[in-house]
Amino acid sequence: MIAHLQGRLVEKTPTDVVIDCNGVGYQVNISLHTFSLLPDSENIKLYTYLQVKEDAHTLFGFAEKAERELFKLLISVSGVGAGTARTMLSSLDPKHIIHSIGSGDVGTIQSIKGIGAKTAQRIILDLKDKVLKLYDLEEVSGPGYNTNKEEALSALEVLGFNKKLAEKVIEKIVKENPSASVETIIKQALKNL
């Protein structure tokens, strides 16, 4: 309903701001990330999200559109409310959250205050595909992602080897020699398969 607000900054705290738009003061909840990006100038613009509930209408503001879109994604997950989403955006940089979701890093998501293991897993399960599609992060994978490893695995699959078996062998080779080329990985894997 309210896509953005542009006006004079009247009050500013780490959790909310008041923006005067032609004589009407809007109280807008913000994350620490947005707080850090707020300009020192009096005139500001925030992208907003209006949450309508039975007992309250709450306005959330973001310095960047990308942060607002991530906020919307986060609150779409069952068990993640606006408060939790704001805490996430206050605890970690949006890019860090996106990368953690895309790579399935439960530990990082769980390190945020108020998020348990189940919620962290649900966030990743619900949002991983959306995040990868939205932010073109096809190359994001778990820690230790290695394109040579992926190419070697693909080549071995084409040669007719069992994927699970080939994966185990390649994993072992890469662990022993992390900088191995695709050819080296394939040659060593063929000896062990």
Side-chain angles (χ1 to χ4, degrees), residues 149-150 152-154 156-157 161-177 185 188-190 192-193:
K149 187 169 94 177
E150 298 302 315
L153 179 62
S154 174
L156 289 169
E157 276 183 89
F161 288 98
N162 176 308
K163 185 179 179 181
K164 292 249 185 272
L165 195 64
E167 232 170 12
K168 283 181 184 173
V169 172
I170 289 173
E171 200 65 54
K172 190 177 172 200
I173 294 165
V174 172
K175 204 174 255 180
E176 291 168 7
N177 184 4
I185 295 171
Q188 287 185 355
L190 287 170
N192 295 316
L193 283 170

Side-chain angles (χ1 to χ4, degrees), residues 106-146:
V106 177
T108 300
I109 303 292
Q110 200 179 331
S111 70
I112 299 165
K113 185 181 182 289
I115 294 184
K118 281 186 178 167
T119 305
Q121 288 166 350
R122 193 177 312 116
I123 289 169
I124 289 169
L125 188 69
D126 288 3
L127 301 182
K128 188 173 187 173
D129 292 340
K130 291 177 187 171
V131 161
L132 291 176
K133 209 175 284 170
L134 218 65
Y135 299 96
D136 286 329
L137 297 176
E138 292 306 329
E139 75 282 353
V140 173
S141 182
Y145 180 78
N146 183 328

Side-chain angles (χ1 to χ4, degrees), residues 71-86:
F71 177 83
K72 286 180 183 176
L73 280 176
L74 290 170
I75 62 173
S76 73
V77 176
S78 171
V80 178
T84 304
R86 185 168 72 156

Side-chain angles (χ1 to χ4, degrees), residues 11-74:
E11 289 176 36
K12 175 179 163 184
T13 71
T15 55
D16 59 68
V17 293
V18 175
I19 301 175
D20 182 326
C21 300
N22 296 327
V24 179
Y26 291 92
Q27 181 175 15
V28 185
N29 292 295
I30 58 170
S31 67
L32 285 174
H33 177 72
T34 290
F35 179 75
S36 68
L37 294 176
L38 285 177
D40 288 330
S41 64
E42 206 175 70
N43 196 31
I44 67 164
K45 177 180 181 177
L46 288 181
Y47 298 98
T48 58
Y49 174 80
L50 178 64
Q51 183 183 50
V52 179
K53 282 185 165 179
E54 224 172 83
D55 58 344
H57 290 212
T58 313
L59 207 50
F60 293 90
F62 310 94
E64 307 162 322
K65 271 187 180 173
E67 186 184 9
R68 178 179 66 184
E69 297 316 305
L70 181 57
F71 177 83
K72 286 180 183 176
L73 280 176
L74 290 170

